[in-house]
Amino acid sequence: MVSKKIYRTLVPTASFLLVLLFVYTATSKLLDLDTFEWRLAQMPHLSTHADLLQWGVPFSELTITGLLLSPKFRILGLYASFALLGLFSIYIIAVLASDHPTPCSCGGIISTLGWREHILFNGAFMLMALGAILQSRRQTK
Amino acid sequence: MKAKFFKLLLPAFAIIMAVGMAFATEEANSTQTGYYNHPILGVQAIPTDCPETGQVLCMEGQWQVFKDPALTIPLYERFE
């Protein structure tokens, strides 16, 4: 009973907040595509793929948004959110470990965060997605 | 009614809010033009997102970046 109540609350709340995050960051990137491309071009290891990534990253975020909004694919969307945020976090850790920290290429006001704050921010959203995944798996068993 | 709220209105609200926030904060994050003094080419303009406050000087390669072409207002890196 309690588990069902948590499921009913946690999964929609996590999906709502992830949709908010991905739509916000994707829109911010698309609104200022030149800046986003320029920031990508400054990043170690990614600069050669800046052309592809400037479209690929917002497209991925909006695709995941679509999955999260569809009740049928919501769980897949939560997995994809967790994976994408995980990839971003791994890259941030790699940048922090390198000698050449570069400006964050994330969209909107989030780009004003420092790298360490960004890891915490991503970690919080990853935890939330993971909680929703675990809760939905428990519910479907 | 409650189900309809969660299925339709809440996602629509999330999207509208996110897009609105993106437009509202766009100005605060856009790049500005920065300038540095190249020893051969002279003062060069580049796009930068370095703010006017900070601790670590903003650099373009080995050259310091300034806010103005007269190279009097230094810019700083936005990260730690």
Side-chain angles (χ1 to χ4, degrees):
Chain A
M1 185 68 186
V2 177
S3 168
K4 207 169 185 179
K5 205 168 185 181
I6 292 172
Y7 173 78
R8 277 189 189 159
T9 315
L10 184 63
V11 175
T13 306
S15 303
F16 175 83
L17 291 174
L18 286 164
V19 165
L20 207 62
L21 174 72
F22 287 135
V23 173
Y24 172 71
T25 52
T27 310
S28 298
K29 283 164 189 155
L30 292 172
L31 279 174
D32 204 353
L33 212 53
D34 289 342
T35 302
F36 180 49
E37 188 189 9
W38 175 75
R39 283 177 180 164
L40 282 172
Q42 311 291 310
M43 302 187 86
H45 315 298
L46 296 184
S47 52
T48 48
H49 306 293
D51 283 353
L52 183 73
L53 287 169
Q54 68 166 327
W55 291 104
V57 174
F59 179 76
S60 305
E61 290 171 338
L62 292 176
T63 304
I64 292 173
T65 298
L67 293 174
L68 289 168
L69 289 177
S70 159
K72 197 178 169 185
F73 298 108
R74 183 162 293 156
I75 306 304
L76 182 64
L78 288 169
Y79 276 109
S81 306
F82 184 78
L84 188 67
L85 289 167
L87 277 176
F88 288 160
S89 301
I90 289 168
Y91 182 74
I92 291 169
I93 291 165
V95 168
L96 273 178
S98 77
D99 294 334
H100 305 288
T102 53
C104 180
S105 63
C106 26
I109 204 84
I110 297 165
S111 60
T112 59
L113 294 176
W115 287 110
R116 284 172 184 84
E117 291 91 346
H118 208 301
I119 290 177
L120 288 175
F121 184 85
N122 281 8
F125 273 92
M126 282 176 74
L127 270 179
M128 198 173 57
L130 186 66
I133 290 167
L134 293 176
Q135 195 59 42
S136 60
R137 279 170 65 116
R138 201 175 297 165
Q139 194 63 30
T140 49
K141 269 183 186 172
Chain B
M1 186 64 191
K2 199 176 172 185
K4 198 175 179 182
F5 174 76
F6 279 109
K7 277 184 183 168
L8 287 172
L9 292 180
L10 205 60
F13 174 69
I15 291 171
I16 292 166
M17 199 162 104
V19 173
M21 276 163 56
F23 274 95
T25 57
E26 187 202 356
E27 189 63 34
N29 295 288
S30 57
T31 54
Q32 57 174 321
T33 303
Y35 302 89
Y36 68 92
N37 190 19
H38 192 282
I40 298 166
L41 303 171
V43 175
Q44 299 292 303
I46 50 157
T48 178
D49 62 352
C50 292
E52 285 178 55
T53 55
Q55 292 180 335
V56 181
L57 288 171
C58 184
M59 306 293 283
E60 171 70 13
Q62 58 189 24
W63 297 291
Q64 189 183 341
V65 180
F66 294 84
K67 191 188 178 188
D68 57 327
L71 312 177
T72 56
I73 306 166
L75 295 175
Y76 298 87
E77 299 287 358
R78 70 165 65 242
F79 45 82
E80 299 162 353

